[in-house]
Amino acid sequence: MAYLLKGVSILGAAPTDLAIVDGVISDKAPDDAQVIDATGLVALPGLVDVHTHLREPGREDAETVETGSRAAALGGYTAVCSMANTSPVADTAGVVEQVWRLGREAGLVDVQPIGAVTIGLAGKQLAELGAMADSAANVRIFSDDGFCVADPRLMRRALEYVKAFDGVIAQHAEEPRLTEGAQMHEGEVSTRLGLTGWPAVAEEAIIARDVLLAEHVGSRLHVCHVSTAGSVEVLRQAKARGVRVTAEVTPHHLLLTDELAAGYDPVFKVNPPLRTRNDVEALRQALLDGVIDVVATDHAPHAVQDKECEWSYARPGMLGLETALPIVLSVFGEKWDLIADRMSIAPARIAGLTGHGGDLSAGTPANITLVDPSARWVVDPAELASRSRNTPYAGMNLPGRIVATFLRGEATVLDGKAVK
Amino acid sequence: MIKHLRSAADLDAATATLILDTAAEMAALSGREVKKLPALRGRTVVNLFYEDSTRTRISFEAAAKRLSADVINFSAKGSSVSKGESLKDTALTLQAMGADAVVIRHPASGAPHRLAEWVDGSVVNAGDGTHEHPTQALLDAYTMRSRLGRLDGLKVAIVGDVLHSRVARSNVLLLTTLGAQVTVVGPPTLIPLDTAAALAEKTQVSYDLDAVLPDSDVVMMLRVQTERMQDSYFPSAREYSRRYGLDMRRMRRLPEHAIVMHPGPMNRGMEIAPEVADSPRSTIVEQVANGVSVRMAVLYLLLGGK
Ligand SMILES: [Zn+2]
């Protein structure tokens, strides 16, 4: 199927026509191309998420590769990197290939598995990183996300080892001894609510250590879900020194604060926790400055019973795929070049996904997101495609509706609806 | 009247004073021959206890029964709770039973807030995690008022593990609302960051008990669990006791009229010396008796008793 997007604005530029033929962007559409009136719509390179939890295998009651892929496509994504904390853990070639194959079968986005750094995420012994890299899944990002690779020697070895195949370690930065029993950001609100605090320094100390380790061994480091103003300063200095470090921030850390814990509704419980207004401001500035490279969702579906309970017993995490672009739009406005870079181009580069994050020029793979920036919508958890309902944005009126998503020229979303 | 009592912050000065005044009436009535009042006849009060606290449960039970309410004790032991039934499912069960009030004690901070979303009746927090214990603060305020005649302008030192204390949180909030000046005292490891900003702006912080005592009308000693040593909050029970325990020598630093309080259960010899606990300045036994009157007042007012 060929498409002609008529009157589309590429990254906010003057309206033009954009043709999709045989999976690539083309100068000219054939006569039988399906014409889409794209007046008022903005085309972006398909979004890429470097941090997604798809829950399969193991927690198919919360999400599957297929339902998560559908949520991703509806959110404008053409590729997602699925985290390794499944059950069994994605710490072998077998499991990463299984997830990769499920992604292909669903066919809605490219599902790029992330491999665990250590066996069973236990932080004791390296998983077979090379086998995962050499597998059909072609793994390049490794992460124990959910847990920090806290042992400094193990972290050093992991950073060094993956150089052989241009891998990167994505660190969930959380010094575990400083966060035992932690429930929310440590500060005024945690004191008032009587919930054990998760101090900012527990994140900052690990990032500071890891940039030094990465510098020492000359390796690449990626920092997951940066959440504090102090972390931004550590990263700013490291980057100025030329350390090969990249970092992500989630939409929720760009918008929400710890005050939301006041009603003890665990829909606002997430790890790292929601921080203060000051942190939110610093993270926004860091994304603008490029100190933080990408927006990543940390999409974390959870079954109802894991959220409809006491705060301390609830699992941390929030849905993110279907709301990420609208949140970023609401925070930064229509800065299309910034959005394309931080949500597509830079994440594709970090993940080594060469077919993604293109410039929408003729001859490049047609991975495209079509957005209506003037449309507003109210988030209704029941309407989301994810199998879970744990969105912190319920009832919020957000700008920006995904009209269509194309994966290598095939529409995965048309008229705001998933095609399959 | 408010519907729930989840936090001492639910109470403004007028409401808190009404509860204390009502408690005084309840105490006067309870002193008479007939101990039962018909006020809550036909109403159901559920004691939902996820933690063992015989003293608090008995206090609420006595309060409800003296108001002629039907009391159902729903404890974690020997019920479906221990089999892992969720709080929500338990709430729906209580709802079906027609509970007019649920008194909840729970190890998780904020459990009463969750419960209040799932039941139609009133929710009374009888201690949640390391958050609050508002009826304890009410009975403490009641005890102070009856001993010292006022709360406004009273100087109260709360000493010990403020970080983990639900009693401290509720007392700081309530006493400040009622015009008292509160100082929290303890080792810096056990005084939460931003205490004043988090709880009440006027709250003062001190790490020096000896300096605070001469200017205190009330000193409230909190229970300190010796297990906190394992987490390095302080080096040893002996050192804690030496720096922050109330012994006879320290008690003499208090003004003549000052009283000594403890929410119980006490670690005699740790945060409080036995001869201090048993001294005439100690209100510890009174606090227990006042607990029933205050809880009668809370149930009576929340349930709109006539
Ligand atoms: Zn993480």
Side-chain angles (χ1 to χ4, degrees):
Chain A
M1 173 70 80
Y3 293 93
L4 179 63
L5 312 184
K6 275 198 85 68
V8 71
S9 163
I10 297 175
L11 297 178
T16 180
D17 292 349
L18 195 151
I20 300 171
V21 184
D22 295 331
V24 295
I25 294 167
S26 170
D27 288 331
K28 213 170 139 341
D31 291 343
D32 62 348
Q34 183 178 335
V35 176
I36 295 173
D37 177 9
T39 310
L41 306 186
V42 174
L44 297 170
L47 306 184
V48 176
D49 190 15
V50 294
H51 192 147
T52 313
H53 296 273
L54 293 177
R55 301 292 184 225
E56 189 177 6
R59 284 306 297 265
E60 291 83 355
D61 60 325
E63 194 80 287
T64 64
V65 171
E66 187 190 335
T67 59
S69 293
R70 191 169 296 119
L74 285 163
Y77 286 89
T78 52
V80 299
C81 300
S82 60
M83 273 298 172
N85 63 337
T86 48
S87 177
V89 171
D91 57 1
T92 63
V95 178
V96 292
E97 283 185 351
Q98 180 196 353
V99 173
W100 176 76
R101 207 164 37 242
L102 287 167
R104 298 252 297 196
E105 282 162 21
L108 287 155
V109 288
D110 285 346
V111 173
Q112 172 57 57
I114 290 171
V117 177
T118 66
I119 295 172
L121 309 176
K124 299 285 182 217
Q125 195 184 341
L126 285 184
E128 289 188 346
L129 309 179
M132 290 188 270
D134 293 341
S135 73
N138 197 25
V139 175
R140 286 295 175 275
I141 302 179
F142 299 89
S143 180
D144 276 0
D145 184 58
F147 300 96
C148 182
V149 181
D151 178 342
R153 188 168 69 161
L154 189 61
M155 185 61 182
R156 177 220 164 121
R157 297 274 192 261
L159 285 165
E160 273 181 306
Y161 189 81
V162 299
K163 277 201 280 189
F165 34 86
D166 197 28
V168 61
I169 306 296
Q171 176 72 295
H172 169 114
E174 174 182 357
E175 165 50 52
R177 289 284 285 158
L178 288 173
T179 58
E180 279 175 25
Q183 294 295 333
M184 67 171 297
H185 173 65
E186 180 180 291
E188 271 178 50
V189 184
S190 68
T191 293
R192 186 160 69 240
L193 299 182
L195 291 169
T196 305
W198 197 129
V201 67
E203 174 175 304
E204 294 151 7
I206 290 291
I207 298 176
R209 181 200 76 175
D210 285 355
V211 295
L212 292 172
L213 286 174
E215 186 172 29
H216 181 63
V217 299
S219 292
R220 279 173 72 202
L221 167 71
H222 178 73
V223 184
C224 297
H225 41 52
V226 172
S227 70
T228 80
S231 297
V232 168
E233 282 320 300
V234 173
L235 288 166
R236 195 185 299 277
Q237 290 170 25
K239 286 193 161 187
R241 277 204 317 280
V243 180
R244 296 166 71 204
V245 57
T246 54
E248 69 191 38
V249 62
T250 67
H252 47 272
H253 288 114
L254 288 170
L255 185 69
L256 310 176
T257 68
D258 60 343
E259 290 285 349
L260 289 163
Y264 295 94
D265 185 344
V267 79
F268 299 112
K269 180 173 174 175
V270 65
N271 191 21
L274 301 177
R275 305 278 185 192
T276 66
R277 178 55 50 194
N278 179 51
D279 295 303
V280 167
E281 294 300 333
L283 293 167
R284 290 178 178 186
Q285 191 59 48
L287 192 74
L288 288 169
D289 296 346
V291 170
I292 292 176
D293 302 81
V294 304
V295 174
T297 66
D298 195 4
H299 178 81
H302 285 299
V304 171
Q305 68 271 20
D306 292 326
K307 284 291 190 183
E308 278 199 346
C309 60
E310 297 84 333
W311 178 282
S312 308
Y313 303 165
R315 289 175 188 265
M318 310 174 156
L319 299 184
L321 286 168
E322 293 171 78
T323 45
L325 182 60
I327 296 293
V328 170
L329 266 173
S330 76
V331 170
F332 295 101
E334 296 181 26
K335 293 192 168 67
W336 298 112
D337 288 325
L338 178 87
I339 290 170
D341 183 74
R342 306 299 195 265
M343 297 188 77
S344 175
I345 299 165
R349 188 168 59 232
I350 289 167
L353 296 171
T354 45
H356 294 270
D359 59 3
L360 303 185
S361 61
T364 60
N367 293 314
I368 303 169
T369 299
L370 208 53
V371 194
D372 181 354
S374 62
R376 297 192 71 95
W377 60 293
V378 175
V379 181
D380 175 359
E383 294 272 295
L384 298 177
S386 171
R387 185 160 281 186
S388 291
R389 295 287 167 263
N390 55 306
T391 174
Y393 311 113
M396 255 187 215
N397 187 306
L398 296 176
R401 185 103 193 149
I402 307 299
V403 175
T405 309
F406 298 91
L407 176 63
R408 281 183 291 280
E410 298 295 326
T412 55
V413 173
L414 271 181
D415 290 329
K417 293 184 181 60
V419 297
K420 60 178 173 181
Chain B
M1 194 61 203
I2 53 169
K3 179 170 183 194
H4 306 293
L5 182 57
R6 293 160 298 189
S7 159
D10 291 338
L11 301 169
D12 58 19
T15 308
T17 304
L18 174 63
I19 292 173
L20 299 183
D21 292 345
T22 308
E25 287 172 36
M26 295 291 175
L29 289 168
S30 297
R32 287 190 205 156
E33 201 76 349
V34 185
K35 289 211 165 176
K36 264 196 165 186
L37 305 172
L40 297 184
R41 183 162 292 151
R43 316 294 288 277
T44 301
V45 174
V46 176
N47 285 323
L48 178 60
F49 273 56
Y50 287 81
E51 277 184 344
D52 269 336
S53 176
T54 311
R55 59 164 58 214
T56 306
R57 187 181 55 73
I58 287 176
S59 181
F60 270 106
E61 190 173 348
K65 283 186 169 162
R66 283 185 199 176
L67 293 168
S68 304
D70 297 322
V71 179
I72 299 172
N73 286 315
F74 206 94
S75 81
K77 278 197 183 123
S79 76
S80 51
V81 171
S82 56
K83 293 178 201 116
E85 185 177 74
S86 73
L87 180 61
K88 185 171 185 186
D89 286 336
T90 301
L92 298 179
T93 303
L94 301 181
Q95 180 68 19
M97 287 161 64
D100 296 293
V102 183
V103 176
I104 179 172
R105 161 70 69 113
H106 199 291
S109 299
H113 295 71
R114 299 296 283 158
L115 183 65
E117 289 171 32
W118 299 323
V119 296
D120 291 335
S122 291
V123 170
V124 180
N125 182 356
D128 63 326
T130 51
H131 179 224
E132 285 205 45
H133 193 357
T135 60
Q136 177 72 42
L138 283 163
L139 77 88
D140 290 339
Y142 181 89
T143 304
M144 288 176 216
R145 198 176 73 165
S146 37
R147 274 280 190 125
L148 300 169
R150 70 196 166 103
L151 289 163
D152 192 38
L154 222 53
K155 291 185 171 158
V156 181
I158 300 178
V159 185
D161 184 358
V162 176
L163 181 63
H164 300 98
S165 174
R166 45 201 181 200
V167 175
R169 270 181 191 72
S170 288
N171 263 298
V172 169
L173 289 166
L174 181 70
L175 291 171
T176 306
T177 298
L178 292 170
Q181 169 62 56
V182 180
T183 303
V184 292
V185 187
T189 46
L190 292 175
I191 303 292
L193 297 169
D194 316 313
T195 297
L199 297 174
E201 262 182 43
K202 283 168 56 199
T203 315
Q204 292 180 349
V205 170
S206 172
Y207 307 133
D208 183 352
L209 180 55
D210 287 319
V212 170
L213 290 176
D215 199 27
S216 296
D217 301 303
V218 177
V219 56
M220 181 185 297
M221 304 307 296
L222 301 172
R223 177 181 169 79
V224 174
Q225 289 171 336
T226 45
E227 306 89 82
R228 302 285 176 222
M229 274 187 299
Q230 265 73 62
D231 277 338
S232 302
Y233 285 105
F234 51 87
S236 68
R238 191 172 58 181
E239 175 158 323
Y240 182 87
S241 180
R242 224 181 260 151
R243 291 179 71 86
Y244 296 103
L246 191 63
D247 57 11
M248 287 304 281
R249 180 186 60 83
R250 281 215 170 93
M251 193 169 75
R252 281 187 216 104
R253 296 179 69 85
L254 285 166
E256 199 66 24
H257 66 275
I259 57 172
V260 174
M261 308 184 74
H262 193 299
M266 288 180 280
N267 294 307
R268 286 173 182 257
M270 174 76 173
E271 71 268 3
I272 190 164
E275 53 276 28
V276 173
D278 298 332
S279 80
R281 285 165 181 257
S282 160
T283 63
I284 293 162
V285 177
E286 269 167 80
Q287 284 172 267
V288 176
N290 293 339
V292 177
S293 306
V294 162
R295 286 165 181 138
M296 286 173 78
V298 167
L299 291 172
Y300 175 81
L301 292 169
L302 288 186
L303 296 184
K306 285 270 150 48

